[in-house]
Coordinates of all heavy atoms in Angstrom, one line a residue:
H235 N 2.0 103.9 74.1 CA 3.0 102.9 74.9 C 2.7 102.8 76.4 O 2.8 101.8 76.9 CB 4.3 103.5 74.7 CG 4.9 103.2 73.3 ND1 4.6 103.9 72.2 CD2 5.9 102.3 72.9 CE1 5.3 103.5 71.2 NE2 6.1 102.5 71.6
Y236 N 2.2 104.0 77.0 CA 2.0 103.8 78.4 C 0.7 104.2 78.9 O 0.4 104.3 80.1 CB 3.1 104.8 79.1 CG 4.6 104.4 78.6 CD1 5.3 105.1 77.9 CD2 5.0 103.3 79.4 CE1 6.6 104.7 77.5 CE2 6.3 102.8 79.2 CZ 7.0 103.7 78.3 OH 8.3 103.1 78.0
G237 N -0.3 104.5 78.0 CA -1.7 104.8 78.5 C -1.9 106.2 78.7 O -1.0 107.0 78.6
Q238 N -3.2 106.6 78.8 CA -3.7 108.0 78.6 C -3.2 108.8 79.8 O -2.8 109.9 79.7 CB -5.2 108.0 78.8 CG -5.8 109.4 78.6 CD -5.7 110.0 77.3 OE1 -5.8 109.1 76.3 NE2 -5.3 111.3 77.1
K239 N -3.0 108.2 81.0 CA -2.5 109.0 82.2 C -1.0 109.3 82.1 O -0.6 110.3 82.8 CB -2.7 108.1 83.4 CG -4.2 108.1 83.8 CD -4.4 107.4 85.2 CE -5.8 107.5 85.7 NZ -6.0 106.8 87.0
A240 N -0.3 108.6 81.1 CA 1.1 108.9 80.9 C 1.4 110.3 80.4 O 2.6 111.0 80.7 CB 1.8 107.9 80.1
I241 N 0.5 111.0 79.9 CA 0.7 112.4 79.3 C 0.8 113.3 80.5 O 1.3 114.4 80.2 CB -0.4 112.9 78.4 CG1 -1.8 113.0 79.2 CG2 -0.6 111.8 77.2 CD1 -2.9 113.5 78.3
M242 N 0.5 113.0 81.6 CA 0.7 113.8 82.8 C 2.2 114.1 83.0 O 2.7 115.2 83.6 CB 0.1 113.2 84.0 CG -1.5 113.1 84.0 SD -2.4 114.7 83.7 CE -2.0 115.3 85.3
A243 N 2.9 113.2 82.6 CA 4.5 113.3 82.8 C 5.2 114.1 81.6 O 6.3 114.4 81.7 CB 5.1 111.9 82.8
L244 N 4.4 114.3 80.6 CA 5.0 114.9 79.4 C 5.6 116.3 79.7 O 5.0 117.1 80.4 CB 3.9 115.1 78.2 CG 4.3 115.7 77.1 CD1 5.6 114.9 76.3 CD2 3.1 115.8 76.0
S245 N 6.7 116.6 79.2 CA 7.4 117.9 79.4 C 8.0 118.4 78.1 O 8.4 117.5 77.3 CB 8.5 117.9 80.6 OG 9.5 117.2 80.1
Y246 N 8.1 119.7 78.0 CA 8.8 120.1 76.7 C 10.3 119.8 76.7 O 11.0 119.9 75.6 CB 8.6 121.7 76.6 CG 7.3 122.0 76.1 CD1 6.3 122.6 76.9 CD2 7.1 122.1 74.6 CE1 5.0 122.9 76.2 CE2 5.8 122.4 74.1 CZ 4.8 122.8 74.9 OH 3.6 123.2 74.3
D247 N 11.0 119.5 77.9 CA 12.3 119.2 77.9 C 12.6 117.9 77.0 O 13.7 118.0 76.2 CB 12.8 118.8 79.3 CG 12.3 119.8 80.4 OD1 11.1 120.0 80.6 OD2 13.2 120.4 80.8
M248 N 11.7 117.0 76.9 CA 11.9 115.9 76.1 C 11.7 116.0 74.7 O 12.1 115.5 73.7 CB 11.2 114.7 76.7 CG 11.7 114.1 77.9 SD 13.3 113.5 77.9 CE 14.3 114.8 78.9
V249 N 10.8 117.1 74.4 CA 10.6 117.5 73.1 C 11.8 118.1 72.5 O 12.2 117.8 71.2 CB 9.4 118.6 72.9 CG1 9.1 119.0 71.6 CG2 8.1 118.0 73.5
F250 N 12.6 118.9 73.2 CA 13.7 119.5 72.8 C 14.8 118.2 72.5 O 15.5 118.3 71.4 CB 14.4 120.4 73.9 CG 15.7 120.9 73.5 CD1 15.9 122.0 72.6 CD2 16.9 120.4 74.1 CE1 17.2 122.6 72.4 CE2 18.0 120.9 73.9 CZ 18.3 121.9 73.0
L251 N 14.9 117.3 73.4 CA 15.8 116.2 73.1 C 15.4 115.4 71.8 O 16.3 115.2 70.9 CB 15.7 115.2 74.4 CG 16.4 114.0 74.0 CD1 17.8 114.1 73.9 CD2 16.2 113.0 75.5
E252 N 14.1 115.2 71.6 CA 13.6 114.5 70.4 C 14.1 115.2 69.2 O 14.5 114.7 68.2 CB 12.2 114.3 70.5 CG 11.6 113.5 69.4 CD 11.0 114.6 68.4 OE1 10.5 115.6 68.6 OE2 11.1 114.2 67.1
M253 N 13.7 116.6 69.2 CA 14.1 117.4 68.0 C 15.6 117.4 67.7 O 16.0 117.5 66.5 CB 13.5 118.9 68.2 CG 12.0 118.8 68.2 SD 11.2 120.4 68.4 CE 11.5 121.0 66.7
V254 N 16.4 117.5 68.7 CA 17.8 117.5 68.5 C 18.3 116.3 67.9 O 19.0 116.3 66.9 CB 18.6 117.9 70.0 CG1 20.1 117.6 69.8 CG2 18.3 119.3 70.3
L255 N 17.9 115.2 68.5 CA 18.4 113.9 67.9 C 18.0 113.7 66.6 O 18.6 113.2 65.8 CB 17.9 112.8 68.9 CG 18.5 112.7 70.3 CD1 18.0 111.6 71.2 CD2 20.0 112.5 70.2
A256 N 16.6 114.1 66.2 CA 16.0 113.8 65.0 C 16.7 114.8 63.9 O 16.9 114.2 62.8 CB 14.5 114.2 64.9
D257 N 17.0 115.9 64.3 CA 17.7 116.9 63.5 C 19.2 116.4 63.1 O 19.6 116.5 62.0 CB 17.7 118.3 64.0 CG 18.1 119.4 63.0 OD1 18.8 119.1 62.0 OD2 17.5 120.5 63.3
L258 N 19.9 115.9 64.2 CA 21.2 115.5 64.1 C 21.4 114.3 63.0 O 22.4 114.3 62.3 CB 21.7 115.1 65.5 CG 23.2 114.7 65.5 CD1 24.1 115.9 65.2 CD2 23.5 114.3 67.1
T259 N 20.4 113.4 63.1 CA 20.5 112.3 62.2 C 19.6 112.4 60.9 O 19.5 111.3 60.3 CB 20.2 111.0 63.0 OG1 18.8 111.2 63.5 CG2 21.1 110.7 64.1
D260 N 19.0 113.5 60.8 CA 18.1 113.7 59.6 C 17.0 112.6 59.5 O 16.8 112.0 58.5 CB 19.0 113.7 58.2 CG 19.9 114.8 58.1 OD1 19.4 116.0 58.5 OD2 21.0 114.6 57.7
S261 N 16.5 112.3 60.7 CA 15.4 111.4 60.9 C 14.3 111.7 60.0 O 13.8 112.8 59.9 CB 15.1 111.3 62.2 OG 14.0 110.3 62.4
D262 N 13.7 110.7 59.3 CA 12.5 110.8 58.6 C 11.3 111.1 59.6 O 11.3 110.7 60.7 CB 12.1 109.5 57.9 CG 13.0 109.1 56.7 OD1 13.4 110.1 56.1 OD2 13.1 108.1 56.4
E263 N 10.3 111.9 59.1 CA 9.2 112.4 60.0 C 7.9 111.7 59.5 O 7.6 111.8 58.3 CB 9.1 113.8 59.9 CG 10.2 114.6 60.4 CD 10.0 116.1 60.5 OE1 9.2 116.6 59.7 OE2 10.8 116.8 61.2
T264 N 7.2 111.2 60.4 CA 5.7 110.6 60.2 C 4.9 111.8 60.6 O 4.8 112.0 61.7 CB 5.5 109.4 60.9 OG1 6.5 108.4 60.4 CG2 4.1 108.8 60.6
K265 N 4.0 112.3 59.6 CA 3.2 113.3 60.0 C 1.6 112.8 59.8 O 1.4 111.8 59.0 CB 3.3 114.5 59.0 CG 4.8 115.1 59.1 CD 4.8 116.4 58.2 CE 6.3 116.9 58.3 NZ 6.3 118.1 57.4
G266 N 0.8 113.4 60.7 CA -0.6 113.0 60.6 C -1.4 114.0 61.3 O -1.0 115.0 61.9
K267 N -2.7 113.7 61.4 CA -3.6 114.5 62.2 C -4.5 113.6 63.0 O -4.9 112.5 62.5 CB -4.5 115.4 61.2 CG -3.7 116.5 60.4 CD -4.7 117.3 59.7 CE -4.0 118.5 58.9 NZ -5.0 119.3 58.1
E268 N -4.9 114.1 64.1 CA -5.9 113.3 65.0 C -6.6 114.2 66.0 O -6.2 115.3 66.2 CB -5.0 112.2 65.8 CG -4.2 112.8 66.8 CD -3.6 111.8 67.8 OE1 -3.9 110.6 67.5 OE2 -3.0 112.1 68.8

């Protein structure tokens, strides 16, 4: 969405948020390898 350099902003704080929201709503998971 934002380009390669955007990963410099990545933090585990937002991983926690994503996992909480996904778990709360039983969100489907798209899995893959790359």
